[in-house]
Amino acid sequence: MKYSQNRPKISYEKKHVQAWLDSLKIALLEQDAITAYELTQNLPFIFITETVPTTESTQNEAIESANIQATSNQKNHIQDDNLIEYLQMAQELITQSIALLESKKNETLLQLDRIRQAKKFLL
């Protein structure tokens, strides 16, 4: 049996995602780089990869399963729209977090440089 296709799926809980987004927004407003970093390392989404077998019999089973899921997918269309919106918000907040972390890094490097200069002056 050969395995060739990987179908990534994303699972999430609306309340958990909303709480994560709110926490990250607060961390960014407060310029809290540590909390922002921790939140970006613990995403509220679960990424699942399914491996789909490619033999003829399992392909037929997959087609039947897909037909059954087509009905439920119509119901999940709203959920998919929400997922896209959540992912876009997460992307924007993560981008802002990266900018905050880079800013804090530059501040730290500047402080280290000042300390080195002061050390050279005193010695």
Side-chain angles (χ1 to χ4, degrees):
M1 186 181 309
K2 295 181 182 179
Y3 294 90
S4 65
Q5 284 186 330
N6 289 330
R7 294 183 191 168
K9 288 189 176 186
I10 301 173
S11 175
Y12 68 98
E13 292 181 22
K14 184 177 180 178
K15 289 180 183 179
H16 186 66
V17 171
Q18 194 60 50
W20 180 86
L21 290 168
D22 291 342
S23 297
L24 189 51
K25 287 176 188 176
I26 291 168
L28 290 169
L29 286 172
E30 294 177 348
Q31 298 287 302
D32 185 352
I34 294 171
T35 302
Y37 174 78
E38 289 173 357
L39 288 167
T40 59
Q41 298 306 303
N42 298 303
L43 299 177
F45 307 102
I46 299 170
F47 298 91
I48 304 166
T49 303
E50 292 182 351
T51 304
V52 180
T54 58
T55 64
E56 188 174 324
S57 63
T58 54
Q59 285 178 345
N60 290 337
E61 291 172 7
I63 291 170
E64 288 177 28
S65 175
N67 289 335
I68 293 170
Q69 289 179 353
T71 306
S72 65
N73 284 344
Q74 292 172 349
K75 295 176 185 176
N76 292 333
H77 181 67
I78 294 172
Q79 184 178 5
D80 290 344
D81 288 344
N82 289 338
L83 175 61
I84 291 169
E85 183 179 336
Y86 288 141
L87 289 172
Q88 288 172 337
M89 286 190 286
Q91 180 183 18
E92 177 60 33
L93 293 173
I94 290 169
T95 301
Q96 291 177 24
S97 298
I98 291 169
L100 173 63
L101 290 166
E102 288 175 346
S103 170
K104 295 292 183 178
K105 175 186 168 185
N106 290 336
E107 286 177 22
T108 303
L109 291 174
L110 184 61
Q111 290 174 354
L112 283 172
D113 189 46
R114 288 180 182 161
I115 291 170
R116 286 185 193 118
Q117 289 176 0
K119 186 177 176 181
K120 283 182 184 179
F121 178 76
L122 294 173
L123 295 177

